[in-house]
Amino acid sequence: MKFRKAAVLQLAVLSALAAFSSASYADWATSVNIEAVRPAPDKMQLQPQNPPGFSWSRYPTATSSTWYFVVIQPPAPAAPIKAVVSRNWLLPTHGFTAPGIYTWKVAPFTYTQAMADAAAASRAKSASLNYNTAQTEAAAEAALVPLAEPVAKDWSSIRSFTLDTTAIKFEVPDNATLRANVTNHVRPRMLSKYFVPFNKWPASMVTERGDQVRRLTETVVSRIPLAPLKDSDWPLPYSTTMTTALSNQNTDIRNRVNKMGHQVEAASLLYFLKSYDPAASTYLNEAIKRGDELASLSPTGPTSYATQDQATRTIALSLSKAKDVLWDKLDATRKAKWAAAIAARTTDIYNDLSGSNGRMDQYPYDAHGGNTLGFLALIAALNLGEVPQAQTWFDFAVRTYVHQVYTWSGPEGGYANGTAYGQAAADFSVQIWDPLSQALAVSIYRKPWSDGFLRFMAHFVPPGTPNHVFGDGHEDVPNTYLLKAFASRFDTPAAKWYYQNMTGVEDPLTLLQAPSPLPVNTVASAAPPPNAAMYPSVGWAAMHSSLADPKRTSLYFKSSPYGSYNHSHGDQNSLVLNSGGKRLLMEAGYYDWYGSPLWTSWYRATKSHNAITFDNGVGQKTDGNTVNLGRNGKITGFSTTTEMDYVEGDATPAFEGLVSLARRKLWYLRSQDLAVVMDTMTSSVARSFEWNFHAPVTIAGQADGSATIVNGDRSLCVRSITPGTTLIKRTGPAPLTGFEDHAAFTRPAATKAEFLVLLDVGCKNPAVSLTTGSSSRTLTVGSQTITLPLP
């Protein structure tokens, strides 16, 4: 039956591909540059979003006049869908109707003056028929299709994807429609049109969030004495060479500007809520005073985009939000001053992100740039119709941002840069998505990736977890109120479970802008996601004894296609083990600053993770920049059952030729709360391989060569099953706080090494036997049996 289904599927794909005629199959849509965007969707992958977004690398000889003709072939007998775009991505405005296998291809063409004239004529004709702006733009695009099709010849390879009834319809209108939605929204654009002052709230709303008005009031009043911000507060000049002192200054700029931006926004919102109260003038005066301070900071000084991009985007956005909320309370002179400050700073942002013909279309792996794109989209929406440049910003950024939201994962959700930065992304999402969704009348929370990202965070930062995992900031304790806030915007049982079990209270500034009732409170029942999950595009797997149990055992595995790029580490095929809220096998080190000597030599090195090294700590290559995208891993197998989970990863490319095979297989025996880890390493030259592990308490060596880790009421015994290994203690730099211990199992130098290690949570000491047959081996651990390949 399985073969028959596969054969039918293959025939369907071949039939769909045959529907295309192509002049060339040279796959120019896949760039030779590893940091370039990869073509998607592809390989018949099931798409969670309908319509999916399409991306491809630019044509190798593209200029500013290069446009693209895209043909999407639905399942037969439907006619092809054709589109013309000026950038190397397409987000169709309407969902596809037919389930099944789709194919698509793209070809470049030169956009000529004749085409521009034809589009303009079509737009003018539509306008004369009293069509709205969106209709005239649609007419202009339709006029381009017959002109572009004959000259689009150098076709990309044909790619395929699958849509079925599980795909969620998520439609984003064209720019003209979105602009109309924004300008038709009465100010404040960033708030719901049903948003009313506090004295008009219904009783249910007062019960749900009345206390947050008190909290917001306390925050604003407590910060009225804050010293004003001045450019002279930060005297160190900008330098491309980072030092500890300059890093500290940049951190101070970010923290103080964020606090002042929060004060401007909070005082503005509080006045809007309590404008009926004569005492509310205190909040209005504070908002204006602090807004004037932000507007007076030099856009070319220490808070400039070139020096501190996070500060300049915060200043521009906070001024935009305050101006939107206080729209009828600001005089024309002050509005103009704030608008000029916004324009100066946002022009710098736009020039960077749109530079090189829209650099992030081609090179999206930019952590700051991806977040800043969201700032640009919201700033543009809030200033549309007032700041002349805002329409240019809007047309460039808004649909791009919605399309690119999952740069750090595929459409299933995830965050390859680590959960600490994923938490920051969730926080930025709440600050940007709530007001942007109101202005656009399109909720980004409904994008299927968004729900997948929430489930990813629930799997890797579950309630009660002691720390983040994988990547910069992994040692940090999660700010659970930020994740709780993000979860509250979803109306699913998984979101309700996460929300109910995370501690803390959301910042009243964002909570008071959220829909009422909160979407999560409209869900009848709560249920956690499955106990195990794998996110293939980021190469992460989570295995829990019971996700619903706060005393759970959690085993995490990573082998990522994103490699050690950006905030990721040289930790492919590594694992982390927590139990009962205690760390047992941890990642070592701490994040002082990006690119520091400690960060380079220890924190992101393989030897500081629970992973394989050789010859006294030589690990995966992490020097350089975008080259680290190629020093990667991938999950090559995953399965989950009630009794057992399994994951397999291949990290060979991460060693960049230093080894010829780096494979790790991991079984989590859920019914016994045990794990088995099997590593196979080969090399063309003899190497002494090391199985590194780290703990926040003493790793005690035992007489039988095993190790014991006891952290409070939780313990772990680490036992090497195969003979020939030696337990040694390792050393590392002192941690910032607390204690860290390091150890490794080692083997004598050889061209091939195998480690078979038992992770015994609770030190139950189960019976273990390993027998060898003619074609395989059998490992029995307690009551369960695993079949292993021969060594």
Side-chain angles (χ1 to χ4, degrees), residues 262-334:
H262 186 282
Q263 181 74 344
V264 172
E265 296 176 33
S268 301
L269 183 65
L270 189 57
Y271 175 76
F272 191 86
L273 283 165
K274 291 191 170 183
S275 57
Y276 57 88
D277 185 346
S281 60
T282 299
Y283 315 131
L284 176 61
N285 293 337
E286 174 69 0
I288 290 173
K289 173 186 174 183
R290 300 305 188 176
D292 285 346
E293 288 176 12
L294 291 182
S296 296
L297 292 171
S298 172
T300 60
T303 62
S304 70
Y305 187 67
T307 301
Q308 228 301 358
D309 60 328
Q310 294 167 309
T312 213
R313 71 191 188 188
T314 295
I315 292 168
L317 181 57
S318 293
L319 285 174
S320 297
K321 286 184 174 181
K323 184 162 59 68
D324 183 51
V325 172
L326 302 177
W327 183 255
D328 59 351
K329 299 300 177 183
L330 300 177
D331 59 67
T333 300
R334 179 164 281 112

Side-chain angles (χ1 to χ4, degrees), residues 382-447:
L382 297 182
N383 289 282
L384 199 61
E386 184 199 10
V387 176
Q389 305 96 313
Q391 179 169 333
T392 299
W393 304 339
F394 187 99
D395 289 353
F396 169 78
V398 171
R399 297 187 88 252
T400 312
Y401 177 64
V402 178
H403 169 66
Q404 283 194 353
V405 155
Y406 56 80
T407 291
W408 295 104
S409 82
E412 82 275 11
Y415 209 79
N417 259 351
T419 63
Y421 277 82
Q423 174 186 278
D427 183 26
F428 282 131
S429 296
V430 170
Q431 295 180 53
I432 293 172
W433 294 3
D434 280 359
L436 186 59
S437 296
Q438 290 294 339
L440 299 178
V442 175
S443 176
I444 307 175
Y445 293 104
R446 304 283 78 82
K447 184 179 175 72

Side-chain angles (χ1 to χ4, degrees), residues 721-722 756 768-781 785-791:
I721 297 174
T722 50
L756 190 60
V768 177
S769 66
L770 179 64
T771 59
T772 302
S774 59
S775 59
S776 64
R777 292 174 291 173
T778 300
L779 175 66
T780 301
V781 180
T785 298
I786 301 170
T787 300
L788 306 177
L790 293 173

Side-chain angles (χ1 to χ4, degrees), residues 580-593:
K582 304 290 176 56
R583 295 186 296 173
L584 293 175
L585 294 182
M586 59 174 279
E587 301 168 279
Y590 66 95
Y591 187 27
D592 54 351
W593 46 275

